[in-house]
Amino acid sequence: MKQPPSVLLPLLRSPFQGELLAWLFLHPGEEYAQIELAKRFDVSASTVTREVDRLSAAGLIVERRVGNLRMVSADTDVVVARPLTELLALTYGPSAVLGERLSDVAAVEQAYIYGSWAARYSGEPGRVPRDVDVLVVGDVDEDDLYDVARAAERQLGREVNMRRVSRVAWEASAGDPFLDTVRSRPLVQLKIDRGHGR
């Protein structure tokens, strides 16, 4: 099934291409098996293979074989690596960075990006947002969220706003005007990987 073009970065052929590039370039020096990438992005192995073939042919990624595994990583020596990384951080970076950073914070049960970034990610037209709004579900320490937001801002080059809500409030069917609004608009759930290690 062909994906629609990327709204966050219309230069790209598809949102998956943006997600993959952002993941690789915002984790420089790390390499990933293609099967691991297929699981992370919930796409078929053949979709990953096609994209890796294209990016490898363009000289944007490096690949090597380890037994039957095809390992890939960003080519940080290519002349466009720095500007491409900056562009990816501003567009697809929030989904590549925020879930991983929140994975290290105790009591995070779920996390979602909402607001204008989530709307662009979901295909609504408009300018690339200046900030990113994140809703964190759980009894999370506010200082920990503050630290994550500041670290993410440095990596993404934009403001990150985090708001905490209890599990009970999030699961309530209605009544809170803010949460009702958040639920009525696009949400992008962040992948929280416990025990992944940074």
Side-chain angles (χ1 to χ4, degrees):
M1 184 173 104
K2 185 172 168 122
Q3 285 189 312
S6 168
V7 173
L8 277 171
L9 187 55
L11 302 170
L12 298 177
R13 186 176 46 266
S14 70
F16 171 63
Q17 185 183 40
E19 291 171 353
L20 178 61
L21 281 168
W23 184 259
L24 295 175
F25 276 88
L26 293 173
H27 297 91
E30 299 289 329
E31 65 177 359
Y32 302 92
Q34 281 191 188
I35 192 73
E36 180 183 357
L37 294 170
K39 286 179 187 171
R40 168 160 288 282
F41 298 110
D42 196 24
V43 296
S44 69
S46 61
T47 297
V48 175
T49 297
R50 279 192 303 274
E51 201 57 58
V52 164
D53 288 346
R54 288 181 187 116
L55 296 174
S56 181
L60 294 175
I61 64 172
V62 179
E63 59 179 287
R64 72 182 181 101
R65 290 273 180 191
V66 177
N68 289 337
L69 297 176
R70 186 179 183 194
M71 306 297 290
V72 297
S73 61
D75 187 346
T76 56
D77 292 329
V78 68
V79 70
V80 297
R82 189 178 56 76
L84 181 58
T85 301
E86 290 173 6
L87 187 58
L88 291 166
L90 289 169
T91 54
Y92 282 92
S95 63
V97 168
L98 291 166
E100 184 178 36
R101 289 201 175 272
L102 286 167
S103 294
D104 294 330
V105 178
V108 172
E109 296 178 40
Q110 292 174 301
Y112 301 88
I113 301 176
Y114 66 97
S116 55
W117 189 90
R120 297 305 158 269
Y121 183 89
S122 299
E124 290 185 14
R127 291 178 177 248
V128 173
R130 293 186 178 273
D131 64 354
V132 179
D133 299 310
V134 182
L135 182 74
V136 177
V137 179
D139 187 23
V140 185
D141 185 282
E142 291 281 359
D143 290 337
D144 290 343
L145 288 184
Y146 177 85
D147 292 344
V148 166
R150 300 302 74 83
E153 285 177 348
R154 287 189 296 275
Q155 192 171 3
L156 297 173
R158 66 168 65 194
E159 184 180 343
V160 174
N161 307 302
M162 292 210 178
R163 183 159 178 170
R164 179 184 68 177
V165 64
S166 71
R167 156 83 40 215
V168 172
W170 180 243
E171 290 179 348
S173 60
D176 182 312
F178 167 73
L179 292 179
D180 290 345
T181 301
V182 167
R183 282 191 205 93
S184 72
R185 303 283 298 130
L187 287 173
V188 176
Q189 185 165 8
L190 294 170
K191 187 171 186 172
I192 307 296
D193 295 325
R194 294 291 175 207
H196 71 325
R198 273 187 66 83

